[in-house]
């Protein structure tokens, strides 16, 4: 089985930080976000991994190289225009060839190993397994209807969900998915949806199964969810990287990147990027900060001050 990780998004919800640092490279608990994907591939015995990149290709290649430092062998492909997840997957087709592959959405972080799902896919001889999780607000997601252990219907962000099972950002496919991707039409939001491709697979009569996941699942794409993931991965504690200097009272949920300087009265529930230089007279609360910053007080803010060098 091969791995494909989608990492081409612009990360607009984390601007301006993601203008400077590509979202997959943003540190969470002082490791790059995409390393959590590599960890999961490792647990599943997957070493051949394709990263679908966008405008930040060069920064990604510089940071990740051939992947050997992370236990994976990386191939990069460039998604030329952002037209949806199924469109992005299409760029990995040559890399995947006739193999099975695990598709991992680059924003996702899981608290539990995904290895049991790779085993389930193989044991059941499925054409596709989709990680699903029961959620309170299924309308925000792709939603699966399950009958007798099979997915019988999938709808992307339904107005009236038939179940509470959300598509949770990890999919395993056999080669049967490719003709379905070829037949896709753009959705109401103008994207080629992976959910719609899988619905075509269901309609073809192929065995499509749910991988029901009960553990923690985070989508790191917004400030709130980014900080929540950070708190989870640090057990709510405080983490200070090598060579960082902090002159502030530190409360729970604080991560200071290596080489950063932080001067403030108090800092809580915030992430400071490596090498940042942050001077705040009052408190820092609920922030993601990088670069050179001077301010009185910072709350629930994403900010990146240009570095002078
Ligand atoms: C995408 C998928 C959706 C899935 C979600 C998981 O949505 O289209 O089916 O439930 O990821 O995070 P998007 O984040 O692109 O809106």
């Amino acid at each position: 089985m091969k791995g494909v990780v989608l990492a081409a998004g612009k990360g607009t919800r984390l601007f301006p930080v993601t203008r400077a640092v590509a979202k997959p490279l943003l540190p969470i608990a002082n490791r790059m976000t995409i390393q959590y994907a590599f960890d999961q591939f490792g647990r599943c015995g997957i070493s051949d991994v394709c990263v679908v990149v966008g405008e930040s290709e060069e920064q990604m290649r510089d940071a990740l190289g051939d992947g050997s430092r992370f236990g994976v062998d990386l191939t990069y492909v460039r998604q030329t225009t952002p037209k949806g997840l199924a469109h992005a997957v299409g760029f990995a087709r040559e890399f995947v060839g006739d193999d099975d592959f695990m598709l991992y959405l680059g924003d996702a972080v899981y608290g539990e190993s995904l290895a049991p799902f790779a085993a389930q896919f193989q044991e059941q001889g499925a054409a596709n397994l989709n990680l699903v999780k029961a959620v309170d607000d299924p309308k925000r997601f792709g939603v699966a209807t399950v009958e007798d252990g099979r997915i019988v219907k999938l709808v992307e962000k339904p107005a009236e969900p038939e179940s509470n099972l959300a598509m949770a950002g990890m999919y395993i496919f056999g080669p049967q998915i490719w003709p379905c991707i070829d037949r896709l039409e753009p959705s109401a939001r103008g994207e080629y949806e992976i959910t719609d491709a899988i619905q075509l697979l269901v309609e073809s009569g192929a065995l499509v199964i749910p991988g029901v996941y009960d553990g923690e699942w985070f989508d790191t794409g917004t400030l709130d969810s980014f900080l929540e993931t950070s708190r989870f991965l640090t057990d709510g504690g405080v983490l200070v990287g090598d060579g960082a200097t902090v002159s502030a009272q530190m409360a729970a949920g604080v991560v200071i990147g290596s080489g950063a300087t932080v001067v403030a009265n108090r800092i809580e529930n915030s992430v400071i990027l490596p090498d940042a230089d942050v001077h705040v007279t009052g408190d820092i609360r609920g922030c993601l900060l990088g670069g050179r910053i001077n301010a009185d007080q910072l709350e629930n803010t994403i900010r990146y001050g240009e570095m002078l060098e």
Side-chain angles (χ1 to χ4, degrees), residues 81-134:
T81 46
K83 290 190 198 162
L85 299 182
H87 178 253
V89 175
F91 289 89
R93 185 172 190 159
E94 202 183 307
F95 162 84
V96 171
D98 293 330
D99 286 317
D100 298 333
F101 66 105
M102 176 178 285
L103 176 66
Y104 188 108
L105 303 189
D107 284 354
V109 172
Y110 303 96
E112 306 289 328
S113 169
L114 301 179
F117 301 103
Q120 185 191 347
F121 169 83
Q122 261 142 2
E123 276 157 24
Q124 292 191 231
N128 159 237
L129 174 146
N130 302 297
L131 198 70
V132 295
K133 181 171 165 69

Side-chain angles (χ1 to χ4, degrees), residues 29-290:
N30 283 346
R31 297 176 76 225
M32 292 180 279
T33 304
I34 201 167
Q35 287 182 257
Y36 297 97
F38 298 156
D39 289 350
Q40 291 288 4
F41 288 135
R43 292 183 188 116
C44 297
I46 296 169
S47 53
D48 272 349
V49 173
C50 177
V51 188
V52 182
V53 293
E55 287 169 5
S56 58
E57 174 170 5
E58 207 180 310
Q59 200 185 50
M60 300 276 288
R61 284 181 183 269
D62 284 349
L64 306 173
D66 65 3
S68 50
R69 277 184 297 142
F70 313 108
V72 285
D73 183 1
L74 292 181
T75 298
Y76 298 86
V77 296
R78 175 80 172 249
Q79 184 187 22
T80 44
T81 46
K83 290 190 198 162
L85 299 182
H87 178 253
V89 175
F91 289 89
R93 185 172 190 159
E94 202 183 307
F95 162 84
V96 171
D98 293 330
D99 286 317
D100 298 333
F101 66 105
M102 176 178 285
L103 176 66
Y104 188 108
L105 303 189
D107 284 354
V109 172
Y110 303 96
E112 306 289 328
S113 169
L114 301 179
F117 301 103
Q120 185 191 347
F121 169 83
Q122 261 142 2
E123 276 157 24
Q124 292 191 231
N128 159 237
L129 174 146
N130 302 297
L131 198 70
V132 295
K133 181 171 165 69
V135 297
D136 294 334
D137 50 353
K139 288 180 186 164
R140 288 174 42 215
F141 302 98
V143 174
T145 306
V146 174
E147 278 172 21
D148 300 328
R150 294 174 78 122
I151 292 182
V152 296
K153 188 175 171 190
L154 276 178
V155 186
E156 183 63 27
K157 309 206 174 64
E160 292 178 24
E162 284 186 13
S163 88
N164 65 347
L165 289 177
M167 307 285 282
M170 192 282 281
Y171 315 76
I172 304 176
F173 294 107
Q176 301 93 324
I177 194 63
W178 297 116
C180 300
I181 290 178
D182 288 342
R183 283 168 49 211
L184 276 183
E185 299 286 338
S187 67
R189 64 170 171 173
E191 295 195 357
Y192 293 90
E193 309 282 354
I194 196 68
T195 308
D196 292 347
I198 303 168
Q199 174 63 23
L200 292 177
L201 189 61
V202 168
E203 288 166 13
S204 78
L207 179 58
V208 174
I209 58 172
V212 183
Y213 176 79
D214 296 325
E216 303 275 358
W217 163 42
F218 303 95
D219 166 352
T220 61
T222 65
L223 176 60
D224 280 351
S225 59
F226 185 86
L227 294 175
E228 187 190 9
T229 316
S230 172
R231 289 196 304 273
F232 173 75
L233 291 172
T234 54
D235 283 328
V238 169
L239 194 61
V240 179
D242 295 340
T245 314
V246 185
S247 170
Q249 184 195 343
M250 284 195 282
V254 171
V255 178
I256 312 281
S258 57
T261 302
V262 181
V263 179
N265 176 50
R266 182 183 152 87
I267 176 167
E268 68 179 54
N269 185 32
S270 293
V271 174
I272 311 293
L273 297 186
D275 302 316
D277 187 11
V278 178
H279 293 256
V280 173
T281 326
D283 296 349
I284 301 172
R285 253 187 243 115
C287 292
L288 170 59
L289 306 175

